[in-house]
Each structure stands twice: as C-alpha cells, then as structure tokens.
Amino acid sequence: MENVNATDIVQRWVQSFNEAVSKNDIQAFAELFLPDGWLRDNLIFTWDYRSLEGHDAIKKFLSHIDETEPNLTRLSKADISDVKLACLYGIIPALTPDHLVEGTFTFETPIFLGKGYVLLSGQGEGEGEGKDWKAFTLYVAAAELKGHEEDGTPIGYYDDHAKTWQEVVVEERVKIEQDPHVIILGAGHNGLNVGARFRQMRIPTLLIDKSDRIGDVWRDRYPSLTLHTPKTHHAMLYTQPPSNWPKFTPRDKVAHMLEQYAINQELVIWHRSTILPGPVYNSVTKRWTVEVLKDGEKIILHPYHIVLAIGLFGPRYVPDLPGVDLFQGDHCHAEQFKGAEYYVGKKVVVVGAAQTGSDICLDLALRNAAEVTMVQRSSTIVISIDLTNKGLDTVYPLGVDPAVGDFRSSGFPIGLVKKLAIAGKDVRIAEQKSMLEGLEKAGLKLSEGEEGGGFPVQLYAYGYGVDIGAADQIINGRIKVKPGEPERFTKDGLVFKDGSFLEADAVIFATGYHPVQHILSPIFGEELSERISPAWGLDEEGESIRNYRPCGHPGGIQIKARFLGLVKD
C-alpha cells in the first residue's frame, strides 16, 4: 500500500468522474463512491450547502427535477465540464496516514470555475493501483464566478503614478459611504473576513460597529484570555500568522491583529454606529431603507443587502435568583469579569462549568483567590488542549498556508466528522484516562454527549471545555466542584435547590447568553428574527443550520450572483 502511485489513482478516478458528469449518468456518478461515501456540495448543484451520505441519498439528490425546468436533473443542470487533475493549494496526490489517497481537481460550469477535493479508499484484493478506488468523501465547490473573478494583487501605483494610494483609498471610501451595496453589521472576525472578501469581489461594502476601535470586543474581555486553537487555525483571510507569533494567541494580540487587518484590507468601517430599529425592505427595488446612528447623527442608507456578523449569541444570561439585593459581596456575569486581581483573598463562586467557567476558575486559582468553587449544573464534555490540537496541528501545520487546511477540512462533511467522533470515543477517552478519572474523583460530572461524539460534535452545540490547566487545579483540590442548581442568594452566599449552602464573597455567572434573536427582534421585528434564528446548530444533513445559507428573506445570500441576476428570490 505504501508504494501506490497516487497520481495515477486520482487521475483515473477524475476521468471516471468526468465521464459520469459529461453523460449525466447519475448511476455511474453514485458508483464512484463507497456505499457509505459522502458528497458535499458547495453551490454547484444547488444555491446552498448540502451533504449526502450513501448511494441512495446521492442519487436522490442529483435526480431532483425543478418544476421550472422539467427536463433537467440537478446533475444535468449543473453542466459540469473541463474536469482536470490539479494541485490546488499545493496539495499533490498522495497516500494519507489513514491509507486513503487524496487529490484535487478543477472543473467548470456555465456559471462557475469549480474546485474539488477527493479522498479515495482502495477496495478489493489487488495491490495499489490494482484496487478499485472509491470516494470516501468528495467535496465540490464554487471557486469563482466566471468573468467576475476576485481582484488580484494590485501593482502598488495608480493612474500611472498620477494618484497616490491614499487618494485612491479616500475616493473609494467616499463612494462606499454614499451608496454601500452591502452593510455588514459587526466588525469582528467574521465581519472583517467577509468585508475583505467582498472588497476583492468589487462589492461596495460598509461595516458598522458599535465599538470605538476594531478589536475592543476582545480588549474588554478578561486579561488572561488566550485562544485555545493554534494561530494557523484562526488566521484571517488572505493572511498568514507571523512565524514568531505565539502558538496560542493572547487576547490583546487578537485585538491588535483584527485592527491591523482592517487597515491593511482597506475596509470602510463606521465606529460608534448601529442600525436603528425598523429597517424596511422594498421588494421592487430590492433595497433596504436603513437608518444608522453614527456618533449621535442619524444617516439613511439604501443597501441591497444586510449581513449580520454580530456573533452567535444575544445579551448575557444571568439566572434571576431571589435575594440578590441582600448579597453583600460582588456579583457579575463572566463577560464583566475583568481579571482575578480584583478577587485576591476572596471566596469566589463561579456558576458554570464549561469553557469560560473553567478558564475563570483557573485564573482565580493561580492569582490568589482564597477559595475557588466551580458550580456544575449539568455534565460537561472535557478535552485536553493537547488532544484538541493534535488534530489541528496536522490539518493546520506551521509554515503552510491556512487555506490548505480550510480546503481539506471542507472535504469532511460535519456529519462524517460526527460519525468518526462517535466511533473514536473509546480511543479519545483512553488518551485522557488519567485526567478524566481525576476529574470524576474530584466530583466533576463528565459526558461525551448524547451520542458519544464528544468535543468534535459538541463544538456545534454548547457545554464543553478545552482544558488549559483547570483540570489539574480541580484534581489537586485548589478548585472545588459543587454540583447543583443555585436557588437564591443570602447576604453571604448561595442556597441551592437541595438546601445546601455555599459561602461566597463574590459570585461570577458563567451562564452563557440569550439567543441572538434577543438582539435581532428589536431591530428587525419578531417575524424576520425568527426566520433567521437560531444562528447555531446543525440540520439533518449535518450542515450548519443558518450560517452562510439562505435565511428565507429575499436577497439573503450569494450577493454577487444576485447582482448579476444569476439567483432569483
């Protein structure tokens, strides 16, 4: 197996793929896959994201006929052509450690330049190329709109040196501010990435953010906060992290990174601004009437689209416990926690045992709080940061463009990730046996999720914790664990529903947030906010339920394609 000619294997499979699509042969297309193989489609066969498992699901998906075009199946309507073996993102055909063969290819449709990523599994009794190689997973995606490709790298001087870069930037800013085609509400990670992409696609885009500076949403969080994934995993679009950057990025470096990114990408951003309630959509002109409050001044704009990049959550949630007025200590939500130095010598109770709760408990334990108690209301999925990053370091290695990892990751449908995670439960537990046993002995209730998928699955829900040191502090008793649900405050602590009492000088609620519609409803109204919520979770195919997908409102996504008349509402 180690001596297989991966290039020949991928080339033969790509040729078979080309034959199937050119003949609109749905049966032949399905037979390119393992019986339980996966097809993940990103805008090629539909204007959506779809994941299909197995021959029957794939055939049903491709056989669908739209009533407006009764002679065309999805496969024939896609009209895939010019399929060619490629080395996209520098990925050459190769045998993976899991004894799969990976490869990439390009193709075209009447609308798109497309890209594909395939992982092949050898079947049968032969050796190497003699096996029957079938797709374990295939990812096909729209890379560019034909004739409307993204801008490339500018030469750096303008109008034959008649204009300076600064003059060009100012001119562009004025035009966008007068007539933005898109408003992005929120200028954090997502808003900035989307804004940068739109700029390269020549879509006039204005970002609106309530903060004074880009990155303030990070600067306002607790000082010890550090990202739990490697720098290559959270790199911004069109960039790579500096080689001397910390592997795990501290809070303030994240803030600085975002601020610098906004400058380098020449994004047009209004600070101290927000959309006022009551935007109105005109179904004839396809434009909104939006009133923006900017530095106290009301400005009316008419964008075609509004992109919500305000995060997954609404306002902070704090349980409404009786007796809070009697409590003589400090109490706050985790979002208001500004550092452990304010709690030196105090008995602190942290309500919540997921990511934020465990991070704050660790900060308190290491910075001289007298006592730290973590209140656990339900079981928690815990995974060590070493195990989490074992996989991420493989997919996003240092020195490699993060786009490579993104492309490979996209080739794994979330539903497949879930199946693999469930199958790997015992191995995952064995790798963390000492830590997990120590936590349980200390009183922490552990879980691997409803289906045993653990962290990889729970990532798309809530209630997990990547351990960066709190586990050791729980095991050695520095952080105590108190199971149960707080019922009410007293002047010096909390009474629980089981009648027990916990003394406290301070209580910090790491209890999460309300759903995002609590922010959307006052602005857009109940009907629209319900249509675009919830923002997080998975559908029956394992795709994100809402993010980057049609939301049910006209003009909800595929913005450039709508400008070109390729998508009808």
Side-chain angles (χ1 to χ4, degrees):
M1 283 291 293
E2 299 301 324
N3 295 319
V4 300
N5 188 324
T7 299
D8 283 353
I9 290 170
V10 178
Q11 178 67 69
R12 282 192 279 121
W13 188 91
V14 168
Q15 289 173 348
S16 297
F17 175 85
N18 185 47
E19 291 176 8
V21 297
S22 63
K23 296 176 180 177
N24 295 318
D25 191 334
I26 293 173
Q27 181 64 35
F29 188 104
E31 289 176 358
L32 293 169
F33 294 78
L34 295 173
D36 58 350
W38 287 77
L39 167 64
R40 193 178 201 192
D41 171 40
N42 182 343
L43 306 181
I44 297 300
F45 297 108
T46 70
W47 287 102
D48 200 356
Y49 302 85
R50 299 291 300 273
S51 288
L52 298 308
E53 179 188 12
H55 289 185
D56 289 344
I58 292 171
K59 287 190 289 186
K60 181 179 179 181
F61 172 68
L62 296 177
S63 299
H64 177 80
I65 297 176
D66 192 309
E67 60 183 20
T68 61
E69 298 177 284
N71 298 321
L72 296 176
T73 64
R74 277 202 178 114
L75 179 59
S76 58
K77 185 177 179 180
D79 195 12
I80 295 172
S81 64
D82 200 24
V83 183
K84 297 177 181 177
L85 181 68
C87 294
L88 296 174
Y89 303 99
I91 300 173
I92 61 173
L95 187 69
T96 74
D98 296 318
H99 302 286
L100 301 171
V101 168
E102 72 169 349
T104 68
F105 59 96
T106 59
F107 59 92
E108 294 187 19
T109 76
I111 298 173
F112 293 118
L113 300 176
K115 58 185 178 181
Y117 175 80
V118 66
L119 280 169
L120 302 172
S121 174
Q123 305 296 297
E125 299 299 324
E127 291 293 329
E129 299 94 300
K131 286 182 175 292
D132 188 14
W133 291 87
K134 301 288 188 180
F136 174 57
T137 177
L138 169 65
Y139 174 59
V140 290
E144 298 268 20
L145 281 162
K146 291 171 73 171
H148 302 276
E149 291 80 4
E150 288 189 22
D151 284 340
T153 303
I155 195 168
Y157 54 82
Y158 306 90
D159 283 0
D160 291 329
H161 299 284
K163 287 185 179 180
T164 67
W165 170 79
Q166 183 63 29
E167 288 172 332
V168 171
V169 169
V170 170
E171 287 178 5
E172 184 176 280
R173 181 180 187 93
V174 169
K175 290 179 182 179
I176 290 173
E177 289 182 324
Q178 290 175 344
D179 186 24
H181 286 199
V182 177
I183 286 177
I184 298 178
L185 188 58
H189 268 84
N190 240 7
L192 296 176
N193 272 325
V194 173
R197 177 74 78 188
F198 285 180
R199 185 179 182 279
Q200 291 301 109
M201 297 177 74
R202 301 171 298 284
I203 300 173
T205 301
L206 173 65
L207 288 89
I208 292 175
D209 197 86
K210 63 183 180 182
S211 66
D212 291 328
R213 292 172 61 192
I214 295 299
D216 278 355
V217 68
W218 287 92
R219 294 184 188 94
D220 290 341
R221 302 185 74 181
Y222 51 96
S224 64
L225 176 62
T226 298
L227 297 186
H228 301 149
T229 56
K231 60 185 178 183
T232 45
H233 180 259
H234 54 259
M236 303 294 285
L237 189 63
Y238 309 118
T239 73
Q240 293 191 46
S243 60
N244 62 345
W245 193 271
K247 179 174 183 178
F248 301 110
T249 310
R251 177 199 73 173
D252 290 294
K253 287 186 78 70
V254 175
H256 299 334
M257 174 186 74
L258 297 179
E259 188 169 45
Q260 192 62 46
Y261 183 79
I263 295 169
N264 289 340
Q265 295 298 318
E266 302 169 18
L267 301 180
V268 180
I269 302 171
W270 283 0
H271 294 283
R272 299 171 296 281
S273 303
T274 188
I275 290 179
L276 292 175
V280 176
Y281 183 74
N282 187 317
S283 59
V284 177
T285 64
K286 309 293 185 183
R287 294 194 126 180
W288 291 86
T289 295
V290 178
E291 194 171 29
V292 177
L293 186 66
K294 178 180 183 290
D295 286 325
E297 177 187 0
K298 293 181 180 179
I299 302 171
I300 294 177
L301 298 172
H302 299 283
Y304 289 96
H305 300 273
I306 300 173
V307 174
L308 300 177
I310 56 176
L312 300 172
F313 311 116
R316 49 185 177 255
Y317 167 73
V318 177
D320 186 15
L321 300 182
V324 65
D325 293 339
L326 301 174
F327 184 56
Q328 296 177 355
D330 300 320
H331 61 90
C332 69
H333 186 270
E335 186 179 69
Q336 301 164 299
F337 176 73
K338 300 305 179 185
E341 62 267 28
Y342 298 102
Y343 301 90
V344 172
K346 294 184 178 182
K347 297 178 179 179
V348 186
V349 173
V350 178
V351 180
Q355 189 66 70
T356 301
S358 64
D359 283 1
I360 289 176
C361 283
L362 176 63
D363 195 18
L364 293 165
L366 296 177
R367 293 174 180 269
N368 302 316
E371 291 182 11
V372 182
T373 303
M374 174 191 287
V375 174
Q376 185 183 34
R377 299 171 297 159
S378 59
S379 59
T380 306
I381 294 173
V382 179
I383 187 169
S384 72
I385 194 168
D386 290 339
L387 185 56
T388 302
N389 285 279
K390 182 178 179 182
L392 289 175
D393 287 342
T394 301
V395 179
Y396 293 94
L398 291 173
V400 176
D401 188 342
V404 178
D406 290 342
F407 191 46
R408 282 191 169 117
S409 296
S410 297
F412 273 82
I414 300 170
L416 174 58
V417 172
K418 179 178 179 179
K419 289 187 70 172
L420 295 174
I422 292 170
K425 173 184 174 182
D426 291 342
V427 173
R428 192 168 56 247
I429 291 174
E431 289 195 45
Q432 306 179 101
K433 182 179 179 182
S434 177
M435 179 188 74
L436 297 178
E437 287 181 348
L439 290 173
E440 287 187 317
K441 187 176 180 180
L444 194 71
K445 295 179 181 178
L446 300 177
S447 170
E448 282 294 310
E450 291 183 6
E451 299 178 78
F455 172 76
V457 176
Q458 198 70 11
L459 179 63
Y460 298 96
Y462 309 110
Y464 64 85
V466 175
D467 175 60
I468 60 170
D472 286 341
Q473 299 297 322
I474 292 171
I475 291 169
N476 68 26
R478 180 69 177 94
I479 299 174
K480 297 178 173 60
V481 177
K482 164 67 176 172
E485 190 77 40
E487 184 176 57
R488 59 185 172 87
F489 277 98
T490 69
K491 65 182 180 65
D492 54 0
L494 289 171
V495 175
F496 286 73
K497 289 184 177 180
D498 63 2
S500 60
F501 173 75
L502 192 59
E503 185 180 359
D505 299 314
V507 178
I508 299 168
F509 289 95
T511 45
Y513 297 83
H514 289 283
V516 72
Q517 55 258 49
H518 284 247
I519 294 177
L520 301 180
S521 294
I523 299 174
F524 294 99
E526 291 290 339
E527 182 182 353
L528 180 56
S529 66
E530 288 294 330
R531 219 188 299 176
I532 59 179
S533 300
W536 197 236
L538 303 177
D539 65 14
E540 64 277 2
E541 291 181 357
E543 288 292 342
S544 173
I545 199 169
R546 196 69 64 205
N547 296 318
Y548 305 103
R549 302 184 73 180
C551 66
H553 189 278
I557 204 169
Q558 292 105 26
I559 288 173
K560 187 72 172 184
R562 277 183 164 78
F563 284 153
L564 299 172
L566 300 173
V567 181
K568 306 297 182 183
D569 291 325

